[in-house]
Amino acid sequence: MSQSPLIPVEEAIASLLAMAQEQRLQESEPVALSEARQRVLANDLVATLDLPPWPNSAMDGYALNIDDWNGQPLAVSQRIFAGQAPQALLAGTCARIFTGAPVPEGANSVEMQENVELMEDGRVRFKQPLSVGQNIRPQGQENRAGQVLLQAGKRLGPFELAIAAAQGCTHVPVVRRPRVALLSTGDELAEPGTPLEPGCIYNSNRTLLSHWLSALGCEVIDGGILPDQPRHTRLKLEQLQQAADLILTTGGVSAGDADCLGEVLRECGRPLFWKLSIKPGKPLTVGYFGTVPVIGLPGNPTSALVTFGLLARAYLLRIQGVEDVTPLSFPVNVGFDWPKAGNRREYLRAKLEEGRAVLYPNQSSGVLLGASWADGLVEIHEGCTLQVGDTARFIPFCGLF
Ligand code: AMP
Ligand code: MG
């Protein structure tokens, strides 16, 4: 297996999505709007109301019927505030009306208050030409009852939840959370809060990934830190497979002696692929342990970040029913030279400055500070060189959450 050629990123994503298709979560649950952010809609959201439910005024002003109006000043026959149900407009009069208030039956135009003159006898003189429908928001302007507002598979953010609220919903049906068992492997790992023994480092991947998993709607089962021992690893995977929809690990997937996650998958599981044409993140390992999918991310924090963002994220969204899992990206001009073509797809931490992507000076996969400094990843294809001003694709981090 170690001799096998590196798998192109697109091929790895396609395999993961095919796997996700088989693992699609079927169960759903109603969740309060206040809790439903980042979850995925399980059924279409169909409007029960026209919005607006009735024609209403877009301005503070005066409503009149310009079809039976002779251009003379009009008496004010009613005042209509938002939240009130008006009377039909008395012929030959106008109505004082405020923003959001229903336009009375019989009125077909609203003039803003700045364009009228209030006469001493209380009548209103309209100073400008008027047109039918002006300053009126028609019934159903936004949507009609029965219309599909949001399709099943839509990720719910503030906009979508507000759309549900505007229909009077308190809850929305969402796909149940994927349960992800998160394991950090490595003899050198210590828990923050414990003393740091010689040769050890604190576990940062767990914090990185558990926040990211939550942002993708997942429930995190913390599998803790695992020593680099195949027996321990196998026992832990056996224990976690009952509870998890996915086992996500970091570390232990390279070809070193201590890299036992890959070894256990090969001996006791079913590896699907290993080693991608990607930098950072080459040793990414995917397979099954029993019936549970396993995604083994490399241990270097930036390798874990890149492979999670480009591959595991797509998998986790697709099992929840999200169709479009391709992260937002756009072409940018690069503010650097890239004279030496690589043989793997590179993802460089970069910031956008004046429309150009500039690189964090240290692109080592062990350096996490670059990710915080950067706005996203510049993608450089295999065999590609660049000069300042050339274009490359940019994947903003904000599109990966
Ligand atoms: P590995 O993929 O296990 O060979 O690990 C590659 C590098 O990432 C090593 O320098 C590890 O110490 C480091 N590393 C592995 N796991 C973590 C973790 N959970 N948090 C921070 N660094 C890690
Ligand atoms: Mg390790």
Side-chain angles (χ1 to χ4, degrees), residues 184-185 188-189 201-206 250-254 259 298-301:
S184 313
T185 76
E188 75 280 28
L189 298 180
I201 58 167
Y202 287 121
N203 180 3
S204 58
N205 284 342
R206 187 192 25 228
T250 61
V253 286
S254 312
D259 290 325
N300 270 312

Side-chain angles (χ1 to χ4, degrees), residues 2 23 47 148 226 258 327 401:
S2 56
Q23 303 288 328
V148 174
L226 259 191
F401 289 97

Side-chain angles (χ1 to χ4, degrees), residues 145-328:
Q147 190 179 325
V148 174
L149 299 176
L150 302 172
Q151 288 185 330
K154 182 82 182 166
R155 280 184 87 196
L156 301 173
F159 305 154
E160 290 73 27
L161 293 168
I163 287 167
Q167 292 294 322
C169 302
T170 58
H171 290 69
V172 276
V174 297
V175 178
R176 80 158 165 83
R177 290 184 187 279
R179 289 184 284 264
V180 181
L182 183 57
L183 262 179
S184 313
T185 76
D187 286 339
E188 75 280 28
L189 298 180
E191 296 289 4
T194 63
L196 198 62
E197 301 298 336
C200 291
I201 58 167
Y202 287 121
N203 180 3
S204 58
N205 284 342
R206 187 192 25 228
T207 300
L208 168 79
L209 293 170
S210 56
H211 282 291
W212 206 339
L213 287 165
S214 303
L216 296 173
C218 303
E219 177 189 327
V220 179
I221 304 164
D222 184 9
I225 291 174
L226 259 191
D228 290 313
Q229 291 169 20
R231 199 179 66 88
H232 267 93
T233 307
R234 182 170 51 74
L235 289 176
K236 194 71 183 182
L237 295 188
E238 273 167 9
Q239 180 197 332
L240 287 171
Q241 63 172 335
Q242 309 301 332
D245 298 305
L246 171 71
I247 299 176
L248 183 69
T249 67
T250 61
V253 286
S254 312
D257 284 349
D259 290 325
C260 59
L261 194 273
E263 184 185 323
V264 168
L265 263 197
R266 283 188 292 279
E267 281 171 12
C268 315
R270 185 154 59 92
L272 285 186
F273 60 85
W274 180 39
K275 289 197 178 169
L276 259 52
S277 174
I278 192 171
K279 188 178 177 186
K282 177 174 135 188
L284 180 89
T285 300
V286 173
Y288 287 92
F289 188 85
T291 54
V292 186
V294 180
I295 299 181
L297 306 177
N300 270 312
T302 304
S303 309
L305 181 159
V306 166
T307 48
F308 184 88
L310 298 179
L311 294 122
R313 170 190 170 275
Y315 176 86
L316 287 165
L317 290 177
R318 181 57 63 78
I319 63 171
Q320 295 178 76
V322 179
E323 262 319 301
D324 185 8
V325 297
T326 308
L328 173 70

